[in-house]
Amino acid sequence: MQLYSLTNVSPDRQKILVKGGQLKDDTDMSTLGLKENAVLMMMGSVGELPKAPETQTKFIEDMSENEVAQALAIPAGLVNLGNTCYMNATLQCLKAVPELKQALDKFKNSSSSGGGSQTSVQNKVASSLKSLFDQLNESGEGVPPMVFLHMLRQMSPKFGEMDPRGGGYRQQDAEECWNEILTSLDQTLGSSGNDEQSVVEKYMSGTMVTTWKSDDAPDEPPTVNQENFRKLDCHIDSSVNYVSQGIHKGLEQVIEKRSETLGRNADFKVVSRIARLPKYLTVAYNRFFWKASESVEAKIVKSVKFPLDLDVSEFCTPELQAKMRPAKQYLRELEDKKALERKMAKRAKLDKDSDEGSANNINVTEDAEMKSEDAKPFELDAELKADVGCNPSGVYELVGIVTHIGRTANSGHYIGWVRKEKGIGGPEPSGKGIPDTQNWWYKFDDDNVSMVTDSDILRLCGGGDWHTAYVTLYRAKNLE
């Protein structure tokens, strides 16, 4: 107790150390060989010992899927109501277009048309989609899209067809669903006030110039047409390995038609070039074809690689290419700078505990500043600047994918993949064993939602019985 009065360390926390070990309550003092003025050491804490945390720390690799979803604030999925995965995947990708959500928030169903008219049904489709998006933003669990599905089937009865083999609803084509929804919204979310374009036309539609010319009739002047488009088709055959090759095949074809000059059919070379690029570009992969021997729409499973960043300026008219060149050059310099920063930051992290760590950190700063000076400001073309909703650079970044797994169009399963925006939503996965990735993605397998990396996304290119990209959604890269 004398030690307690001197140190305020209670006896149960006192540890007395002597030469050769620790002094115990039953230690025979005569065996220690203590001499006068010998020094003993006492260890112990004065205050209360720290308590174990009430909530035990749990690492992400030790969590279940539900626990990971709660910790990372993963968004809600859509319940499959019977072969409705095609619709669920489509809606999750369209939800990645904030301008579409903003237009729906402003929409008011004030149509005076009859309850069964097409206009009235389209208005109800927009209203139900608005409510469904609100539910997805507010819910932490899977949302059953019953009202929207009912209105979609009322607008397009095809999506309500029954499967004669199983008795339930048939599996449908996700790209057809994508097109039907956007066509309806294009007509419903139309002009308001001084705005002459719908949100679909402004942000998701481009302009294509097509020239028809026949070498068999050199004296016949070429025919030039201009029309709007909402998607680029990626044609797939044995020679196509990359999405750019497939797009090129769709924009340059040889078609037989009647020549007025020759008075007979002739081969015409049809060349299409883009005169306006939308902010959001849809690329559809032509993976299904009619197989007469089996009376099914069979699938082309060939691998067609797609990039996370897509440059489509080569498919544009020379006039548009010239207008976009300054912005494209600026983005190239900006990307070079970011790539250098990532490389140097990774090197600095590896050298953090070494003697050269400080020097490497200095080099990172100096190199980043040097590269920042290279990305010089530029003057954006006046027409592109005034065209709200266009892509002024021709360079896109991938933000959404609809994939299909299966061998035919009327079977299999669709999944939606949407890129997580940095700083929005829950935290990004981190910690021991977590892979390194520039972007995280949400995998919307109906109401089962998880997170994947860029590497997982790039594996969706096809080549076997795995999830294969069927529709990709690209967004114009931001001119920071």
Side-chain angles (χ1 to χ4, degrees), residues 202-256:
K202 179 184 291 186
Y203 292 99
M204 303 187 74
S205 303
T207 304
M208 189 80 72
V209 176
T210 303
T211 304
W212 296 67
K213 177 66 177 176
S214 176
D215 293 336
D216 297 337
D219 296 332
E220 185 173 333
T223 302
V224 181
N225 300 322
Q226 180 171 302
E227 58 185 1
N228 290 344
F229 72 93
R230 280 205 300 266
K231 66 183 176 72
L232 294 180
D233 288 318
C234 175
H235 291 240
I236 302 175
D237 61 23
S238 59
S239 65
V240 173
N241 297 306
Y242 299 92
V243 65
S244 57
Q245 296 173 328
I247 293 174
H248 184 270
K249 279 189 172 293
L251 297 179
E252 294 189 10
Q253 304 179 63
V254 175
I255 299 177
E256 182 182 330

Side-chain angles (χ1 to χ4, degrees), residues 165-177:
R165 298 169 300 177
Y169 287 100
R170 292 186 61 184
Q171 176 69 283
Q172 298 292 336
D173 190 307
E175 187 203 344
E176 290 184 13
C177 181

Side-chain angles (χ1 to χ4, degrees), residues 86-87 90 158-159 170-179 288 297 402 404 409-410 414 470-471:
Y86 69 92
M87 181 190 73
T90 296
K158 171 181 175 61
F159 298 114
R170 292 186 61 184
Q171 176 69 283
Q172 298 292 336
D173 190 307
E175 187 203 344
E176 290 184 13
C177 181
W178 183 291
N179 292 334
F288 295 108
E297 285 191 79
V402 174
H404 177 265
N410 295 325
Y414 290 96
Y470 186 43
V471 178

Side-chain angles (χ1 to χ4, degrees), residues 437-478:
T437 182
Q438 287 190 42
N439 297 290
W440 284 94
W441 295 73
Y442 294 120
K443 175 185 176 183
F444 291 99
D445 186 356
D446 291 324
D447 55 343
N448 182 19
V449 187
S450 56
M451 297 187 76
V452 299
T453 66
D454 285 336
S455 297
D456 297 314
I457 293 298
L458 293 175
R459 282 194 283 266
L460 304 175
C461 57
D465 292 323
W466 182 242
H467 304 285
T468 305
Y470 186 43
V471 178
T472 50
L473 179 64
Y474 284 90
R475 179 181 61 200
K477 298 210 75 169
N478 187 31

Side-chain angles (χ1 to χ4, degrees), residues 268-292:
F268 282 78
K269 185 176 183 180
V270 185
V271 178
S272 299
R273 290 294 178 263
I274 301 169
R276 179 193 186 264
L277 282 170
K279 180 175 181 179
Y280 295 91
L281 179 66
T282 301
V283 179
Y285 297 71
N286 296 350
R287 287 199 171 273
F288 295 108
F289 68 99
W290 179 251
K291 194 172 183 177

Side-chain angles (χ1 to χ4, degrees), residues 15-74:
K15 183 182 293 185
I16 311 299
L17 301 180
V18 296
K19 186 177 180 180
Q22 181 179 343
L23 186 65
K24 304 289 185 179
D25 291 339
D26 57 353
T27 301
D28 185 356
M29 300 290 289
S30 62
T31 63
L32 298 178
L34 295 177
K35 299 181 180 179
E36 190 176 354
N37 296 325
V39 177
L40 304 180
M41 178 182 292
M42 188 198 78
M43 299 177 63
S45 58
V46 176
E48 184 179 359
L49 291 174
K51 296 180 179 178
E54 295 182 3
T55 303
Q56 186 177 2
T57 302
K58 202 168 189 179
F59 296 99
I60 193 168
E61 58 266 25
D62 300 323
M63 296 182 181
S64 66
E65 289 187 1
N66 289 336
E67 290 173 328
V68 171
Q70 293 178 359
L72 300 178
I74 290 179

